[in-house]
Amino acid sequence: MTVEQVDVHNVENNRFIIIGAGPVGLLAAILLVQEKHAAQVTIYEARDGLTTDLHESYPIGVNPRGSRALDRARPDMAIALRMRSSMIDAWRIYAGSRMVAELPSGLVVGTTRSTINEILYEEVCKHFQEQIKIHWSHRLKTLDILERSLIFDVKRPRADEELAQTYEEVTVQGGGARVLACDGVWSVARGFAEKHVEGFTSNVSPWRVQFRLLFSKPGAGKLVPKLEPRYHYVMGGIYLSIIEEDVWVLGLGIGEHLPRQTRELLTATVATPERIAALRAYVTKKAPLAAPFLSAEDLELYFTRKTFGGAMVKVSQLNIGEWAVLLGDAAHSVIPPTGEGFNSGAEDVEVLMEALRLTPAQPFTAYNKMRLPDLHALHNLAIDANESNFGKFGPEKVSRLLATVLVALAKRVGIFSHTWEDLSFGADASPPKTYIEIASVWRWQRIFILPLSRLAIWPIFLLVWLLLSPFRAIFWVITRPYRRVEREEGSKSSFGGRSKAKRI
């Protein structure tokens, strides 16, 4: 085991360690130095280097909340983002080939996570090379509160590519440095706090959906005049948007709301002619405007890409005393339909800067008090979005969908002035509202509308269930002999397999 001593020039609030070189970690490092809260910042990152391949990233929207944080750090970063991305004028929602709704915006920049990361990293390299040091290939293993140290598994170079990858355990003695844990939804720092910090609890709720991306070739979208780059589209559970280099990307949601055969198709990792044809048929049915510009090669490459999921995170506190604090997804991961992933993490950094400015002696305690209630309100929005968008088909999901439609209709006739989506990423998102304000609008609208929706939907489902019950009973009786034969054949097969294994 190797021990590294972090050089602390000025212990008193002048030295920071950041875990994670994602957008939140890099933004925090820049603002710490820019606003003179730190003379030196050291970042430890598990990856081997910056990932800039668009096909390894995913679309995100930077709303006024995120743009404000970028402007505060370095205005040229916000300019670079707008030059490399495009403003989203609205989200258009389709049923088949017909548009059924539109959510205006004009305030959100459509980009990718890798683009944000690249812009921030370029800024570090250009202006902060002396003050911000990044150590790649350092995967956090655990922390030691008593010793104020961090233990990493560090990837070591291989002399031969055929040899197994080796790691060395490295202990970083931080001395009086403060730690910002920006290590993502599956945060090691958060897991450590839950086990070893008295009173710390976390609630981690997995998404009801996973996502997999399908990319077009550059310029392919021009074949479909109806698709406009400044609009994003939601078509049958597929999210369609344009990213850099005039590439359209389809985000396919895969969850229990889909039939089993569809889930098996969308998660398959081997591209056969039958699967490619089935995928084209699926996209044609769900997103008919997108199907024409997808080539056979585009569809084939889909099966080589990873499927990614996540979880919604809620913690009882954000700080571990005055030594460490959780930021970004490590503290409050949400779900894509909220549109607040990067944006909420960027605002974390802004609030932390205010805590450092106002209470330099106890900034993490102050940050926890300032930020936690707002993040709990955001968590409530995420839970509702998870259930409404990706819950299993049934009366509750239909009730939630009907409630969403009724809220939109109520807004159209003037009963409501705006929805929570308007305040988060729609036309009313500037200036940014607190999540408590946004959740309050959502709660008061749903407190009346959702019970009415349930009152309308649940009796219908119950009536249908009662009407179908005799037919289900008849079907069960008719198919019973066949099920018995299948069980007997399965038992024989299993017995034969066990006997054979025993003889061997």
Side-chain angles (χ1 to χ4, degrees):
M1 182 180 75
T2 302
V3 177
E4 295 180 357
Q5 182 71 37
V6 175
D7 183 22
V8 182
H9 301 293
N10 184 350
V11 171
E12 288 300 321
N13 303 309
N14 209 28
R15 189 65 175 78
F16 285 82
I17 293 173
I18 296 178
I19 307 168
V24 174
L26 291 174
L27 179 62
I30 291 171
L31 272 169
L32 283 170
V33 174
Q34 180 84 3
E35 301 192 359
K36 303 187 185 309
H37 297 299
Q40 291 284 317
V41 176
T42 304
I43 302 176
Y44 293 94
E45 167 58 45
R47 294 171 298 171
D48 299 331
L50 188 70
T51 302
T52 58
D53 184 359
L54 290 176
H55 295 84
E56 294 296 320
S57 187
Y58 49 86
I60 64 171
V62 180
N63 66 18
R65 195 184 310 274
S67 294
R68 182 185 61 191
L70 292 175
D71 275 323
R72 175 172 177 167
R74 301 281 295 182
D76 51 339
M77 289 195 301
I79 295 171
L81 174 64
R82 294 183 184 101
M83 290 179 63
R84 295 175 56 173
S85 310
S86 59
M87 194 68 71
I88 303 173
D89 285 345
W91 284 265
R92 289 178 169 175
I93 302 171
Y94 276 72
S97 58
R98 186 170 64 90
M99 188 175 74
V100 295
E102 180 174 291
L103 175 62
S105 177
L107 298 172
V108 177
V109 180
T111 184
T112 67
R113 187 182 188 276
S114 67
T115 300
I116 290 284
N117 226 30
E118 190 174 354
I119 290 172
L120 288 161
Y121 182 66
E122 289 172 354
E123 201 70 19
V124 169
C125 294
K126 190 185 301 181
H127 298 288
F128 303 101
Q129 277 191 328
E130 295 301 317
Q131 300 99 324
I132 300 174
K133 303 295 183 183
I134 303 178
H135 297 274
W136 304 100
S137 304
H138 280 61
R139 184 175 62 200
L140 183 64
K141 186 176 182 180
T142 188
L143 302 89
D144 188 328
I145 291 181
L146 295 179
E147 297 293 331
R148 294 293 178 100
S149 62
L150 302 94
I151 302 172
F152 295 90
D153 281 332
V154 180
K155 188 182 292 185
R156 292 309 182 195
R158 288 182 288 185
D160 190 329
E161 288 297 322
E162 295 183 1
L163 297 176
Q165 179 65 61
T166 59
Y167 293 85
E168 180 182 0
E169 187 175 285
V170 173
T171 298
V172 174
Q173 299 286 4
R178 298 182 187 273
V179 178
L180 309 186
C182 310
D183 53 338
V185 59
W186 311 117
S187 170
V188 173
R190 186 185 67 240
F192 171 85
E194 188 162 24
K195 291 180 181 178
H196 300 286
V197 176
E198 185 178 355
F200 185 99
T201 60
S202 68
N203 182 354
V204 181
S205 309
W207 295 351
R208 287 184 173 272
V209 66
Q210 293 180 309
F211 294 96
R212 204 174 190 183
L213 302 181
L214 177 56
F215 293 85
S216 77
K217 289 184 173 55
K222 295 177 182 177
L223 300 173
V224 185
K226 285 187 177 181
L227 290 179
E228 301 180 49
R230 291 177 66 89
Y231 291 86
H232 284 199
Y233 300 84
V234 180
M235 300 178 174
I238 296 177
Y239 189 88
L240 178 62
S241 60
I242 195 168
I243 56 177
E244 286 187 46
E245 302 173 3
D246 198 22
V247 172
W248 285 87
V249 58
L250 286 74
L252 279 65
I254 310 164
E256 60 183 11
H257 61 291
L258 296 177
R260 179 179 57 83
Q261 288 185 331
T262 302
R263 295 199 302 269
E264 290 175 354
L265 168 68
L266 298 182
T267 56
T269 55
V270 178
T272 64
E274 294 77 17
R275 283 175 177 163
I276 292 173
L279 180 58
R280 181 176 291 282
Y282 178 78
V283 173
T284 301
K285 179 182 178 181
K286 297 292 185 179
L289 291 181
F293 63 70
L294 295 172
S295 67
E297 183 182 1
D298 297 334
L299 297 167
E300 182 178 358
L301 287 173
Y302 167 86
F303 294 100
T304 68
R305 297 196 175 96
K306 62 182 180 182
T307 300
F308 62 93
M312 294 163 295
V313 174
K314 180 181 181 181
V315 296
S316 60
Q317 66 189 66
L318 300 168
N319 62 316
I320 303 174
E322 286 301 324
W323 179 51
V325 69
L326 302 173
L327 298 178
D329 285 350
H332 54 81
S333 178
V334 288
I335 193 166
T338 64
E340 291 291 348
F342 164 74
N343 300 299
S344 58
E347 190 172 60
D348 286 352
V349 178
E350 282 199 284
V351 176
L352 179 60
M353 295 305 115
E354 288 304 301
L356 284 163
R357 183 179 65 84
L358 296 171
T359 54
Q362 293 185 312
F364 290 175
T365 301
Y367 171 76
N368 180 69
K369 186 176 181 180
M370 295 163 67
R371 189 64 172 151
L372 190 63
D374 215 32
L375 294 180
H376 284 179
L378 173 61
H379 180 78
N380 292 335
L381 290 172
I383 290 290
D384 180 73
N386 193 39
E387 294 295 329
S388 298
N389 288 279
F390 308 113
K392 194 171 183 179
F393 180 79
E396 181 60 22
K397 180 174 181 178
V398 176
S399 298
R400 288 175 177 272
L401 291 174
L402 178 59
T404 301
V405 172
L406 291 176
V407 167
L409 290 174
K411 177 193 169 185
R412 180 172 293 184
V413 299
I415 297 176
F416 299 141
S417 58
H418 41 240
T419 66
W420 78 263
E421 293 93 341
D422 295 326
L423 298 177
S424 179
F425 48 83
D428 299 321
S430 183
K433 314 298 187 295
T434 67
Y435 294 121
I436 291 175
E437 291 175 304
I438 296 172
S440 176
V441 170
W442 160 79
R443 184 172 60 253
W444 280 108
Q445 290 175 352
R446 288 300 181 98
I447 203 170
F448 297 109
I449 300 295
L450 188 54
L452 290 176
S453 300
R454 287 171 174 156
L455 192 62
I457 296 300
W458 277 86
I460 295 174
F461 269 78
L462 179 61
L463 179 61
V464 171
W465 184 83
L466 291 173
L467 291 175
L468 292 179
S469 292
F471 299 99
R472 293 175 61 189
I474 294 171
F475 177 80
W476 187 85
V477 171
I478 293 174
T479 59
R480 184 178 180 184
Y482 299 100
R483 292 199 303 275
R484 183 167 59 244
V485 170
E486 288 178 358
R487 284 197 300 270
E488 290 174 353
E489 289 179 351
S491 298
K492 290 178 182 178
S493 176
S494 299
F495 180 78
R498 287 195 299 271
S499 299
K500 185 177 180 180
K502 191 174 182 179
R503 287 196 297 270
I504 290 174

